[in-house]
Amino acid sequence: MLKITPYLGALVLIVSIGGLWYPALGYFMLLIFAAIFLSSPFRGRWFCGNLCPRGSLVDFWVSKISKKKKIPASLRSMWVRLPIFFLLMGFMGYRIVNIVGALNTFEKIGMVFVTMCLVTTAIAVLLGSYLSPRAWCSFCPMGTAQRLLGGKRYQLQLAKEKCINCKKCEKICPMQLKICENKTKSDCIKCGRCVAVCPKDALQF
């Protein structure tokens, strides 16, 4: 992860709470969307593990109160993820289309982004507290988009001959991935924690 990663969680609070008084803050979401769609075709879900403000919030703040349970496999299923993606994106698009042309259009569209940020952050915090910090990230619409655009890019490489099967990498993985299985990990967020904790330098990107 980047040195700035642990501090980015403040941004999602500024947008989702401060945006209630200053709707223009909602347009920060457009920068997030742009960064996601520019980076994911080349590095998959790298944004999630390094620059996502909500990811930082759950990793470094919510994790302190999380029960850290196992993330249900059903939440990772595309049968769950794709409907959620289209539902949230469709609802946001519908709201924006109905606002265009109205009075104070700029502020009202900003409030749509703020509302989406606030609602999804509340869900992320609740799931992160009750289940695991990154529970929301297992089916996050933007995470799903990154997986579809570049899930096979910038893959974690495992040198099997070096691995001693200590499972330290799997214990520290925020996404609870099976790192010791030498398979494509489309939901790897490239945070690098597994690489850092490996005692045999068996992992690298």
Side-chain angles (χ1 to χ4, degrees):
M1 72 184 74
L2 305 178
K3 289 183 179 179
I4 195 176
T5 304
Y7 308 103
L8 294 175
L11 293 176
V12 76
L13 296 179
I14 291 171
V15 173
S16 57
I17 297 176
L20 297 175
W21 287 272
Y22 303 100
L25 288 172
Y27 286 93
F28 176 74
M29 298 291 290
L30 294 182
L31 292 177
I32 298 294
F33 294 158
I36 285 173
F37 287 106
L38 287 173
S39 66
S40 57
F42 306 100
R43 292 212 167 189
R45 296 193 64 174
W46 178 88
F47 182 90
C48 295
N50 295 273
L51 291 177
C52 178
R54 185 178 293 117
S56 173
L57 178 72
V58 296
D59 268 349
F60 299 99
W61 302 12
V62 176
S63 63
K64 298 182 187 304
I65 59 172
S66 176
K67 293 184 179 180
K68 298 180 180 177
K69 298 180 180 180
K70 183 177 177 61
I71 299 174
S74 58
L75 295 183
R76 303 179 191 274
S77 169
M78 282 298 178
W79 292 102
V80 171
R81 296 168 69 165
L82 288 178
I84 290 176
F85 175 85
F86 288 114
L87 180 65
L88 289 180
M89 293 302 104
F91 179 71
M92 184 171 67
Y94 173 79
R95 290 277 310 278
I96 291 173
V97 167
N98 280 277
I99 287 171
V100 173
L103 293 174
N104 301 318
T105 298
F106 182 81
E107 288 189 356
K108 288 181 178 179
I109 291 178
M111 185 55 75
V112 171
F113 292 133
V114 168
T115 302
M116 292 296 291
C117 184
L118 180 59
V119 170
T120 53
T121 298
I123 295 172
V125 170
L126 289 173
L127 286 177
S129 301
Y130 181 71
L131 291 175
S132 177
R134 286 274 183 169
W136 161 261
C137 304
S138 64
F139 64 95
C140 166
M142 291 298 98
T144 298
Q146 289 176 82
R147 173 183 170 131
L148 294 174
L149 289 171
K152 295 182 179 180
R153 300 285 185 173
Y154 197 54
Q155 281 291 303
L156 181 66
Q157 302 297 320
L158 170 66
K160 272 288 188 180
E161 67 278 6
K162 293 183 179 180
C163 179
I164 58 174
N165 208 35
C166 64
K167 299 293 180 74
K168 287 184 178 181
C169 54
E170 295 188 0
K171 291 175 183 176
I172 202 171
C173 178
M175 295 296 288
Q176 300 181 4
L177 301 179
K178 298 294 184 182
I179 295 172
C180 293
E181 294 180 5
N182 209 351
K183 298 179 181 178
T184 299
K185 300 168 183 64
S186 300
D187 279 315
C188 172
I189 59 175
K190 283 75 176 178
C191 63
R193 295 178 205 180
C194 56
V195 176
V197 80
C198 180
K200 295 296 182 179
D201 295 324
L203 297 166
Q204 65 176 359
F205 286 103

